[in-house]
Amino acid sequence: MKIINLETMSPLVLFFSLLLIVSSWEGVAAAQEKNDFDEPPITGFEDRDGEEWTTHEEELEFLEEVEEKSERMTYSEVGTSVEGRPLHLVQVGGPSPATDEEMADGQNMLIIGSQHGNEPAPREMALQLLRDLAFTEDPEREGQLEELTVMFIPTANPDGREADTRTNAEGVDINREHLNLGTPEIQVIGEVLNQYNPDITIDAHERPSADGNPDMEMQWPRNLNVDDELRELNEEMVEDYLRPNVEEAGFTTGLYGDASEPTLGLETVLSQMAGLRHGLGLLTESSGQQDPKYRVEAQMETVESTLEFYRERMDDVTTVVSEAPSRKMEEGADRSEPFYLDGADIREPEDSDVLDPHPCGYLLHSSQANEVSLHIDSFSLETEEVGENGVFVSMSQPMMTVVPFLLDGEASYNEVEGLALEDCSDPRITASGLQTLVEQLDEAGEFENSDAPYALDVHLRAVSHYEDQEETDKVVEHMGGFHNLLIQQLENDWISEDAFHMLETFADDLIENYGETFDVDRVMDHISHLSEDIGPRVAGSEEELEAAEYIEDEFDSLGYDTSMQTFDIRG
C-alpha cells in the first residue's frame, strides 16, 4: 500500500486530491440513494398484507409516486365523480407512453376497476398491475409495451368505493348507464372509449356474496348486434386461452351468467358496450367472500393472461377490430341483417324483439338532436342537417350498432323517438312522416283533447294523398290549412307548446321543400298555354285578359290572395 504524505503536497495538488475523495463519496451516496429510489412503490393494501383495502388518499399518493419513479407511466385527471373525487386515466407504455394521437391510431387496451364501489379487488388489481408494468424487467413484457399502451381507470366509482356501496353518490348503478351516459363517471368512460378506441376493454367486477366455485367467472360481449367475427374471436379468447391459463395457475373458472342473466346482451352495461364499440371485451367476476389477496391474485392472473393473448394474437386482434366498423356500416346500408332490440347469443334469436328490416335511418327534429348531442359526440355518430329543422341519422355508419337503441321508439332505453325512415334517398320530412310524429306525440301525452290529434291526422292524410299524386300546389295549399289548425289547437290549450313547435317547424320545412321544387314540365305547360293556346296577348285585347285570369287562377290554387287591377292606356 502506498502512503501519501500530505505535508509534502503543494496546496493545489492537495485541493484536487480532496476534491476527488469528496466526489467519490458523493457518487457512492447518490448511487445508494438511486437504489433506494428505484424501489417500486406499494399500495396500502400490500403494505397491510391484505388486511385493509387501499384508501383514496393512498391511491393518490401511489399514482404520484409511480409516475415520479417510472418513465413508462403517466396519468391525468379526466373527470370527477358526483362528489368531486378525481377519475384518473393511467397510461403505461415503453420506453415512454405514446401521445394521444398515437394511442388512438395504434394498439391499446383499457382496464377499468370497481365500477361497483363494494367490489374492491379489481381496483387493487389495477393499481398493482400498472405498477408492475411500469417497472417490469421482463424482456417480453418490455417488448410488448413498445408496441402498445395499457390504459387504466383504476377506480371508476370513487364515491362508491369510499362509501363501500355498489352505486355512486346519487344511488345510481353506473354500470347501467353506458348507453344513456347518465352519470359524470360514465360520461368520462364514454369519452375515453370514444377517443382511444381500445382493442380490448376489461371490465373488472366481483360477485360480492360468492364464496368460490368458481374463483373467477368471465364473459365476452354477447349482444347480437356485435360484429360476428369480433364476437367469435372474443369467445375464443375467453374459452380457449384465458380459462385454461387461469386454471393452470390454480384458480377455478366459469362463465358469468346463463340464458336467464339479463345483463348478457344488455346494451347499457360496459361488457356489452365494448363490443358494440367494435372492440374485444372481457367481464371478470372474482368471488367476493374469498380471501382478499386471493381475489386480487385471481384478477391479476386473468388480466395478465389477456395481455399474453394480445401479444400472441396481436395481428388477429388488430385485423378484426379495424375491419368490424366497415362490416357493420355495410350491414346498415344494405339492411341485410336484422337489428336486435334485445337478446344475446346465449338465448334463442326468435325470443328477441327485432327490427327486420331495420330502418335505413332516423329523422330527428333539431330539438331532439340537441337532447342527444352528448350521445352524438360520445359515439361519434354521423348526422346530416335536413332543411331548417331536421337532422338525419343514417344506419349506414360504423356506430349503427347504437343508433336504434338511442333513437327508436321500440327500444327499451331510447333517449328520443325519431322518425324511422324506410327510404333514405331523400331524407326529408313528408306528410306521412308528420302523421307518424302526431301519433308519437299523442302516445307521449302531448295532446289535452283526443279530437286534436285525430283532426291533424285527417288533414295530413289528404296532404299525403296529394304528395303521392305529386300535386305540389295542393300540398302547399293544404299545409297552410294545417298551420291554421295547429294555431287553433294551441290557442285552445289542446296541444303542448313543445309539440306545437315541433309540428309547426317541420310543416314549414315541408312547405319549403315543395316550394323550392322546380317542375320543368309544369313550366312548359304554362308557357305552351299562354303562347300557343291563348296566343299573342296585345295590351287591351281579349287574349291579354284571358292570360291575366289564367295567372290569377293559378295563384288562387296555390293559396295566395289575389286581386285584379285595370288601367287605361292611350290608343
Side-chain angles (χ1 to χ4, degrees):
M1 181 175 69
K2 186 174 181 180
I3 299 175
I4 299 175
N5 188 346
L6 297 179
E7 292 182 0
T8 62
M9 286 187 177
S10 68
L12 185 61
V13 172
L14 179 60
F15 170 76
F16 280 110
S17 298
L18 292 173
L19 183 62
L20 287 171
I21 293 171
V22 171
S23 297
S24 298
W25 286 344
E26 289 178 347
V28 171
Q32 183 63 44
E33 182 181 351
K34 186 175 188 300
N35 288 336
D36 293 339
F37 188 71
D38 284 345
E39 286 296 317
I42 61 174
T43 66
F45 178 77
E46 292 172 305
D47 184 50
R48 292 182 287 276
D49 197 29
E51 294 297 323
E52 295 178 10
W53 304 107
T54 301
T55 67
H56 176 69
E57 291 73 19
E58 288 172 338
E59 177 183 336
L60 301 181
E61 294 172 1
F62 176 82
L63 294 176
E64 184 177 354
E65 188 176 358
V66 174
E67 183 183 51
E68 183 180 356
K69 291 184 176 182
S70 172
E71 294 182 353
R72 293 192 190 122
M73 183 274 222
T74 186
Y75 76 105
S76 59
E77 182 179 315
V78 288
T80 56
S81 66
V82 171
E83 294 184 336
R85 293 183 175 86
L87 276 77
H88 292 117
L89 178 65
V90 179
Q91 300 155 331
V92 184
S96 61
T99 65
D100 287 345
E101 292 75 16
E102 290 170 340
M103 280 195 296
D105 295 335
Q107 283 72 46
N108 64 77
M109 66 181 287
L110 174 64
I111 300 165
I112 297 179
S114 298
Q115 284 199 79
H116 295 146
N118 61 343
E119 300 172 13
R123 172 189 183 232
E124 300 294 342
M125 171 274 294
L127 294 174
Q128 292 181 30
L129 182 58
L130 71 88
R131 183 267 321 279
D132 292 351
L133 293 175
F135 293 95
T136 185
E137 295 180 353
D138 181 295
E140 287 189 345
R141 191 68 83 214
E142 288 180 318
Q144 185 177 21
L145 289 174
E146 291 177 0
E147 296 182 332
L148 69 90
T149 300
V150 184
M151 299 182 293
F152 299 81
I153 299 179
T155 312
N157 182 7
D159 296 346
R161 176 78 288 273
E162 187 76 2
D164 194 27
T165 59
R166 177 183 178 89
T167 61
N168 72 354
E170 292 180 325
V172 177
D173 184 340
I174 67 172
N175 196 34
R176 299 295 185 273
E177 293 293 331
H178 288 278
L179 174 72
N180 303 103
L181 309 176
T183 72
E185 298 89 353
I186 296 309
Q187 290 170 17
V188 168
I189 295 176
E191 290 173 5
V192 171
L193 291 169
N194 190 52
Q195 179 176 0
Y196 299 110
N197 302 307
D199 293 343
I200 303 176
T201 299
I202 298 178
D203 180 22
H205 286 264
E206 297 201 83
R207 294 140 35 228
S209 61
D211 57 5
N213 192 31
D215 302 325
M216 172 60 70
E217 291 184 346
M218 311 174 199
Q219 196 53 268
W220 61 89
R222 308 194 76 147
N223 187 287
L224 293 168
N225 300 298
V226 173
D227 175 70
D228 289 338
E229 292 186 31
L230 183 69
R231 190 169 59 244
E232 289 168 6
L233 180 61
N234 215 154
E235 181 178 358
E236 180 185 348
M237 179 182 78
V238 172
E239 292 282 42
D240 300 341
Y241 201 94
L242 299 187
R243 292 188 65 186
N245 279 12
V246 174
E247 288 175 3
E248 186 177 343
F251 301 94
T252 57
T253 71
L255 292 181
Y256 177 77
D258 55 21
S260 65
E261 170 55 48
T263 60
L264 296 187
L266 184 62
E267 64 271 20
T268 63
V269 300
L270 178 59
S271 59
Q272 306 304 308
M273 183 55 71
L276 294 172
R277 285 183 177 269
H278 311 306
L280 275 70
L282 174 65
L283 172 68
T284 68
E285 294 272 359
S286 49
S287 187
Q289 292 300 309
Q290 290 180 308
D291 176 74
K293 292 174 64 176
Y294 188 78
R295 290 148 56 189
V296 175
E297 290 169 5
Q299 292 277 354
M300 286 283 285
E301 185 63 40
T302 305
V303 177
E304 287 177 342
S305 294
T306 307
L307 278 167
E308 288 299 314
F309 174 84
Y310 195 9
R311 181 177 61 81
E312 295 180 13
R313 301 288 297 277
M314 178 171 281
D315 289 343
D316 293 333
V317 171
T318 301
T319 297
V320 74
V321 166
S322 62
E323 293 179 354
S326 59
R327 283 194 293 268
K328 296 306 294 186
M329 180 176 178
E330 184 177 344
E331 283 183 19
D334 62 27
R335 306 168 74 187
S336 57
E337 297 293 332
F339 191 93
Y340 294 88
L341 294 176
D342 60 14
D345 65 358
I346 198 173
R347 296 188 282 274
E348 295 297 328
E350 54 265 27
D351 295 334
S352 304
D353 291 330
V354 299
L355 301 173
D356 190 14
H358 60 71
C360 57
Y362 295 84
L363 184 63
L364 305 180
H365 190 269
S366 55
S367 62
Q368 293 176 306
N370 288 335
E371 286 185 52
V372 294
S373 59
L374 173 65
H375 306 80
I376 290 172
D377 292 340
S378 184
F379 292 108
S380 290
L381 295 181
E382 301 167 6
T383 63
E384 175 189 346
E385 292 187 4
V386 178
E388 291 293 322
N389 302 287
V391 176
F392 173 59
V393 184
S394 173
M395 285 289 282
S396 179
Q397 60 174 302
M399 285 307 296
M400 57 80 71
T401 48
V402 301
V403 170
F405 287 138
L406 289 168
L407 308 181
D408 199 286
E410 298 298 316
S412 298
Y413 303 100
N414 61 303
E415 285 289 318
V416 297
E417 186 170 357
L419 290 176
L421 302 180
E422 297 301 321
D423 180 3
C424 294
S425 58
D426 186 14
R428 59 182 183 175
I429 192 67
T430 63
S432 60
L434 281 175
Q435 282 182 277
T436 302
L437 180 56
V438 168
E439 181 181 348
Q440 292 174 354
L441 294 171
D442 187 23
E443 293 175 354
E446 298 293 331
F447 293 95
E448 293 296 329
N449 185 311
S450 60
D451 291 335
Y454 176 76
L456 295 175
D457 180 73
V458 169
H459 201 100
L460 291 169
R461 202 178 307 159
V463 178
S464 182
H465 169 75
Y466 292 129
E467 274 188 323
D468 294 339
Q469 300 299 318
E470 298 183 356
E471 297 185 51
T472 58
D473 52 344
K474 294 294 185 182
V475 171
V476 174
E477 177 185 355
H478 282 72
M479 285 308 298
F482 181 77
H483 262 299
N484 295 335
L485 186 57
L486 278 176
I487 293 172
Q488 180 187 22
Q489 292 188 0
L490 181 66
E491 290 174 347
N492 287 283
D493 295 326
W494 291 351
I495 186 174
S496 71
E497 291 189 7
D498 288 342
F500 170 82
H501 174 72
M502 189 176 295
L503 290 169
E504 180 194 40
T505 52
F506 263 154
D508 288 340
D509 283 354
L510 193 152
I511 292 172
E512 185 176 352
N513 290 339
Y514 286 102
E516 291 179 351
T517 299
F518 189 83
D519 189 337
V520 175
D521 293 335
R522 189 163 179 79
V523 170
M524 293 306 298
D525 288 342
H526 287 309
I527 293 174
S528 175
H529 181 73
L530 291 168
S531 62
E532 296 178 6
D533 297 340
I534 297 177
R537 299 166 303 283
V538 178
S541 67
E542 291 294 326
E543 289 80 6
E544 182 202 35
L545 178 60
E546 184 180 354
E549 290 174 345
Y550 172 79
I551 294 172
E552 183 181 36
D553 290 340
E554 288 299 314
F555 277 113
D556 286 340
S557 71
L558 294 174
Y560 292 99
D561 294 326
T562 60
S563 62
M564 185 83 74
Q565 292 182 345
T566 62
F567 59 94
D568 296 329
I569 58 172
R570 294 181 182 179

